[in-house]
Amino acid sequence: MTIWLTMLAVGVLTYATRLSFILLLGQREISPRTQQALRFVPPAVLSALIFPQLLLPNGTWDLSLGNERLIAGMVASAVAWRTKNVVATIVAGMVTLLFLQAFF
Amino acid sequence: MTTARSEFFKGIKAELPILIAVIPFGMIYGVLSLDAGLSAIQTQAMSVIVFAGSAQFIMAQLFATPTPALVIIITALLVNLRHALYSASVYPYIKHLPFSLRSGLAYLLTDEAYAVSIIHYNQPGKVKYRHWFFLGAGLAMWSTWQLSTAAGILIGSLIPTSWPLEFFIPLTFIALVVPSLKDWPSLAASLTGGLVSVVAFGLPFRLGLIVAAFAGIGAGLFLEEFGQRALKIRRAQHRGDMIE
């Protein structure tokens, strides 16, 4: 039930943001300051989700070479930077993780 | 001749290259959402109700861990706030349309449909039928997202549960974030958001996520401000040199 209600709330809010200026505030402009801030939302939020997955694999700090997820994440980041390709990045990271888990 | 019909199909055609990238993304979402414990119906319903890729990925990840609904809602809202910008940007082009049509187009205002439509709108010429282009691009995106979600649900049930599927989520985020880090302020937003979220991971109700998001945004803004000020000083010094 919570899942459905959460989903519905996010759906309504997302639709409201999409409709906002089209419907009501057409004549008003978004301030340049807010536009600047919005540019940083994706890197800030997504990195906040990525980092704990790589650095706290078992709930505690692990910066050692034995941290397979950190290494796989770094390989994926390098591939993402070079290729800008979503599928290539995911495949590279996943293959690295499966390889390390199988052999180390 | 430009007609409603030709504009509609032009919109679909312009959207096609983007859709090739959307298909695997939708499928991965379907697989992951099942893995996070959502039912097939919930997974598909989320693609219809929310209809925003990155927010759906984030929600799937947060549903998999004990996260309060309010934190999920705030995080998704933050990520989706950019749609307000798109809304403001297409407004001048569709303000002449009736209310019902504008409300329908707003539902289709995704990153992908916005990107091709605004480029089309910005080209010179008559605007009269261009909302058909937007509609074509938007509906092509919508159908592809729904079908690829369904495909992901079908495939997801075939994948052995021993695979570390949940790792697809950070990998997908890496694929989205890393290529976008083209300047110092973005990099600062990313590193600050990431590190603060690790340090604040122990906070209750996963509030660390919200704290980290705002810290990252703040770091980006700070560095941008700093960079502009440094540029101004350098320019002023340059002018000073020339006077001497």
Side-chain angles (χ1 to χ4, degrees), chain A residues 6 10-11 16-17 19 27 41 48 51 54 57 64 66 72 76 82 89 94 98:
Chain A
T6 310
V10 173
T17 50
L19 197 60
Q27 45 286 75
V41 171
F51 276 47
L54 303 182
S64 71
R82 290 295 300 220
T89 303
M94 203 43 132
L98 290 173

Side-chain angles (χ1 to χ4, degrees), chain A residues 9-28:
Chain A
V10 173
V12 168
L13 287 170
T14 303
Y15 183 60
T17 50
R18 285 174 174 157
L19 197 60
S20 57
F21 284 83
I22 289 178
L23 200 61
L24 316 160
L25 310 159
Q27 45 286 75
R28 289 186 39 197

Side-chain angles (χ1 to χ4, degrees), chain A residues 2-47:
Chain A
T2 325
I3 291 182
W4 282 109
L5 288 176
T6 310
M7 214 187 271
L8 210 64
V10 173
V12 168
L13 287 170
T14 303
Y15 183 60
T17 50
R18 285 174 174 157
L19 197 60
S20 57
F21 284 83
I22 289 178
L23 200 61
L24 316 160
L25 310 159
Q27 45 286 75
R28 289 186 39 197
E29 297 271 316
I30 302 179
S31 78
R33 187 85 183 165
T34 315
Q35 291 197 23
Q36 269 182 349
L38 283 174
R39 184 164 86 84
F40 299 119
V41 171
V45 172
L46 294 178
S47 304

Side-chain angles (χ1 to χ4, degrees), chain B residues 56-221:
Chain B
Q56 288 179 234
F57 269 84
I58 290 169
M59 288 170 72
Q61 183 186 341
L62 295 179
F63 276 134
T65 53
T67 308
L70 196 62
V71 171
I72 300 183
I73 293 169
I74 293 173
T75 310
L77 181 64
L78 266 179
V79 170
N80 279 341
L81 269 182
R82 67 186 188 283
H83 292 112
L85 282 181
Y86 304 162
S87 185
S89 149
V90 296
Y91 168 78
Y93 300 106
I94 63 171
K95 61 181 175 191
H96 61 287
L97 299 175
F99 172 75
S100 55
L101 201 50
R102 273 186 289 159
S103 326
L105 286 173
Y107 172 64
L108 297 174
L109 192 59
T110 51
D111 299 300
E112 292 81 1
Y114 168 75
V116 296
S117 300
I118 199 67
I119 287 170
H120 187 61
Y121 271 127
N122 283 337
Q123 276 160 6
K126 271 197 278 182
V127 177
K128 193 179 168 199
Y129 290 113
R130 289 194 181 169
H131 57 282
W132 285 96
F133 182 98
F134 184 174
L135 192 68
L139 284 178
M141 173 60 200
W142 188 85
S143 329
T144 307
W145 187 243
Q146 303 311 327
L147 289 174
S148 52
T149 300
I153 292 171
L154 291 177
I155 293 170
S157 52
L158 301 174
I159 297 176
T161 48
S162 59
W163 287 20
L165 277 184
E166 74 290 344
F167 198 57
F168 272 129
I169 301 190
L171 288 178
T172 311
F173 292 160
I174 287 172
L176 293 176
V177 170
V178 172
S180 79
L181 302 177
K182 288 179 202 140
D183 48 46
W184 293 110
S186 307
L187 188 66
S190 161
L191 291 178
T192 308
L195 290 173
V196 170
S197 116
V198 172
V199 174
F201 198 70
L203 285 184
F205 312 121
R206 296 214 59 186
L207 282 172
L209 190 57
I210 313 273
V211 174
F214 281 105
I217 295 165
L221 281 174

